[in-house]
Amino acid sequence: MQKFTTILGCAIAIAFLLGLATTLTRSTMIGFLDVLPVYILMGVAIFMMVYEAFFDKSSK
């Protein structure tokens, strides 16, 4: 059950972060290069979240 809730929580958080990042590209006044740092930060945040949830077992 704990593995299921971890996967569900990560999926919801990733969907939220991706939705937040892609909302910025909807505006015609904002170019791709303006949003690129946001995509990089979201990618790093998602990687760190998944790594901590599934692979980093030394802290527990």
Side-chain angles (χ1 to χ4, degrees), residues 14-51:
I14 288 171
F16 173 75
L17 290 174
L18 290 177
L20 190 66
T22 56
T23 301
L24 293 173
T25 61
R26 300 279 185 219
S27 175
T28 57
M29 298 174 63
I30 300 175
F32 178 74
L33 291 178
D34 298 328
V35 185
L36 188 61
V38 176
Y39 284 133
I40 293 171
L41 287 174
M42 291 297 174
V44 169
I46 290 170
F47 172 75
M48 287 172 34
M49 179 180 58
V50 170
Y51 179 77

